[in-house]
Amino acid sequence: MSELVFFSGTMDCGKSTLALQMGHNRSARGLQGVIFTRDDRAGAGKLSSRLGLVTDAVEAAPDMDLYAHLIGEMSKGGKVDYVIVDEAQFLHPEQIDQLARVVDDLGLDVFAFGITTDFRTRLFPGSQRLIELADRIEALQVEAMCWCGARATHNARTVGGEMVVEGEQVVVGDVDQHEGDVGYEVLCRRHHQRRVTSATARADVLSPDVLPVDPA
């Protein structure tokens, strides 16, 4: 029985690595799949992992009909046994509906990988629709860690190490940033709510509060 499965987790928990592994395991058994991605850190038409692995993929443009694309591939004689979608949170809800149709009408398994919430702790529209439609939701078992050592549950956007809470929902960046760049960091809820990133925590250690001086 084919399924639409949503593998979710924070940034830096191995989603893209698992997507690459699933594709490798199936290709090793002679199966052929189509990989969709959107706004990957390695550039358009790529699925990459922070471990350095990368493979070619189909860039799922905002106006692309994913169901029609697969029908087109199959009508030209292409073999499609499964579908992998990375960065699924960036897809439009209508594209998630198209993936559900791939499962129901074409009988293909669809494995979607993505984060659920943005830097403001709001659901991405694509992730929300996946939660509504998926046959199964799997939380990634590799837990990302906050700088304090606790389990990271929230994604934070940073600029020069400082956490920001306003701006466009989608701004491409990574957990590896240069000073002044837009980047991302995973935090526990406590430090996300307090807006304490690893950089600001280090600054607090290096610059402790000055003790009050008694004028007498």
Side-chain angles (χ1 to χ4, degrees):
M1 189 73 177
S2 54
E3 289 184 307
L4 172 58
V5 186
F6 180 31
F7 294 89
S8 67
T10 61
M11 296 183 68
D12 213 20
C13 74
K15 295 181 302 300
S16 298
T17 302
L18 179 58
L20 287 162
Q21 184 67 54
M22 291 184 72
H24 170 76
N25 290 350
R26 281 160 177 74
S27 64
R29 297 294 180 267
L31 301 177
Q32 297 181 29
V34 171
I35 299 175
F36 291 109
T37 189
R38 168 85 61 84
D39 293 336
D40 188 90
R41 68 183 70 83
K46 297 293 182 182
L47 166 56
S48 66
S49 164
R50 292 189 183 89
L51 298 182
L53 304 173
V54 63
T55 191
D56 291 329
V58 177
E59 186 72 13
D63 59 349
M64 176 183 283
D65 186 323
L66 306 185
Y67 180 87
H69 178 87
L70 292 169
I71 289 293
E73 291 296 310
M74 298 168 75
S75 66
K76 292 185 293 187
K79 182 183 178 185
V80 181
D81 297 306
Y82 62 92
V83 177
I84 288 175
V85 185
D86 197 33
E87 307 293 358
Q89 73 273 6
F90 295 146
L91 298 185
H92 290 308
E94 294 80 7
Q95 292 175 309
I96 304 301
D97 290 340
Q98 294 159 13
L99 293 176
R101 189 180 176 194
V102 168
V103 174
D104 296 338
D105 293 359
L106 303 183
L108 302 178
D109 284 319
V110 175
F111 306 107
F113 299 79
I115 59 180
T116 52
T117 57
D118 63 16
F119 69 105
R120 301 165 298 182
T121 70
R122 308 279 177 80
L123 283 169
F124 282 99
S127 299
Q128 178 178 335
R129 194 61 178 147
L130 275 165
I131 292 170
E132 293 166 348
L133 293 183
D135 297 294
R136 241 180 338 118
I137 300 173
E138 298 283 349
L140 271 292
Q141 297 303 307
V142 177
E143 294 184 350
M145 296 179 66
C146 178
W147 61 264
C148 69
R151 177 174 175 265
T153 55
H154 290 66
N155 305 295
R157 180 181 293 170
T158 61
V159 176
E162 296 280 346
M163 181 173 161
V164 296
V165 294
E166 295 181 354
E168 296 293 327
Q169 186 175 52
V170 178
V171 175
V172 178
D174 203 355
V175 294
D176 297 320
Q177 68 160 11
H178 299 288
E179 186 176 354
D181 291 344
V182 173
Y184 291 90
E185 183 174 348
V186 289
L187 300 172
C188 64
R189 184 181 64 242
R190 176 169 175 259
H191 286 123
H192 190 279
Q193 291 183 334
R194 296 181 180 182
R195 303 185 189 180
V196 182
T197 67
S198 58
T200 56
R202 286 196 300 270
D204 287 343
V205 171
L206 294 175
S207 301
D209 293 335
V210 178
L211 294 174
V213 177
D214 187 347

